[in-house]
């Protein structure tokens, strides 16, 4: 296990009004309910925001992005991309709001403020129809996505504490 990273941002992106497009936001909400996170970890609901996130993401040691990702896999499948794989993801436009996120990351690179490492954890959507609920297929994948985010933090040297069931329900 690596030593603890100084500043980690776990960014959930997506539009919660478009069924599975909101899975990234739902994942960070669940992560925050299930685990007590140390001060060096920031959970950020990026929604469909773009340039408003520049200051939050600048100079992060590790940026973990949770998102809906179209990769041609069966709906509900999980995908992990890291470091050099991430720019390729952005070029493929696998997510409807991704152009904004691509611009943010490009701006950070140009400003010399980009995160040291970027990891994307995504779920293949079943639907992007108008509805605030995840589809049953992606809903079943949500706990796996949350666990993948927790494992990513663990691999970065972050000690997570499970909340007691009464705390997690809040």
């Amino acid at each position: 296990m690596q030593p603890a990273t100084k500043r980690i941002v776990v960014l959930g992106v997506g539009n919660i009004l478009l069924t599975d497009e909101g899975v990234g936001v739902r994942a960070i909400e669940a992560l925050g309910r299930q685990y007590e996170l140390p001060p060096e970890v920031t959970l950020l609901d990026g929604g469909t925001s773009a340039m408003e996130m520049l200051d939050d993401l600048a100079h992060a040691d590790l940026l973990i992005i949770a998102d809906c990702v179209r990769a041609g896999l069966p709906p509900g499948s999980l995908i992990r991309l890291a470091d050099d794989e991430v720019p390729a993801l952005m070029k493929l436009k696998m997510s409807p709001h991704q152009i904004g996120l691509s611009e943010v990351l490009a701006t950070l690179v140009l400003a010399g403020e980009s995160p040291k490492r970027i990891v994307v954890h995504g779920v293949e959507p079943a639907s992007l129809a108008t509805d605030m609920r995840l589809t049953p297929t992606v809903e079943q994948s949500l706990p796996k996505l949350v666990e993948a985010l927790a494992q990513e933090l663990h691999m970065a040297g972050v000690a997570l504490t499970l909340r007691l069931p009464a705390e997690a329900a809040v």
Side-chain angles (χ1 to χ4, degrees):
M1 186 164 47
Q2 302 170 6
T5 306
K6 289 182 182 174
R7 193 165 88 77
I8 298 171
V9 177
V10 183
L11 173 66
V13 291
N15 187 337
I16 61 167
L17 301 177
L18 300 175
T19 52
D20 298 339
E21 170 64 17
V23 71
V25 173
R26 301 300 185 210
I28 64 154
E29 291 170 348
L31 184 69
R33 280 192 309 270
Q34 292 176 25
Y35 293 97
E36 189 158 332
L37 302 169
E40 68 267 18
V41 177
T42 301
L43 295 182
L44 182 61
D45 176 348
T48 57
S49 302
M51 292 304 192
E52 297 87 12
M53 297 185 294
L54 280 173
D55 289 338
D56 294 313
L57 304 181
H59 300 293
D61 292 296
L62 174 60
L63 170 60
I64 303 170
I65 301 170
D67 199 0
C68 157
V69 176
R70 289 186 189 178
L73 299 171
S77 297
L78 270 61
I79 184 169
R80 179 188 184 274
L81 301 168
D83 303 316
D84 293 340
E85 297 170 318
V86 175
L89 165 75
M90 296 302 165
K91 288 179 188 168
L92 293 174
K93 294 187 176 82
M94 295 175 155
S95 178
H97 59 270
Q98 185 177 307
I99 294 171
L101 186 56
S102 295
E103 290 170 349
V104 168
L105 295 176
T107 300
L108 289 170
V109 168
L110 289 173
E113 299 178 344
S114 61
K116 291 179 183 155
R117 293 201 59 232
I118 300 175
V119 178
V120 175
H121 284 274
V123 176
E124 182 77 38
S127 172
L128 300 178
T130 304
D131 195 327
M132 290 186 68
R133 296 168 297 180
L134 296 174
T135 61
T137 302
V138 171
E139 182 77 35
Q140 287 179 350
S141 296
L142 185 59
K144 292 182 230 166
L145 177 59
V146 172
E147 186 53 37
L149 296 172
Q151 184 61 34
E152 196 71 50
L153 289 167
H154 178 73
M155 289 188 312
V158 175
L160 298 177
T161 305
L162 269 174
R163 292 186 188 271
L164 299 174
E167 292 178 303
V170 176

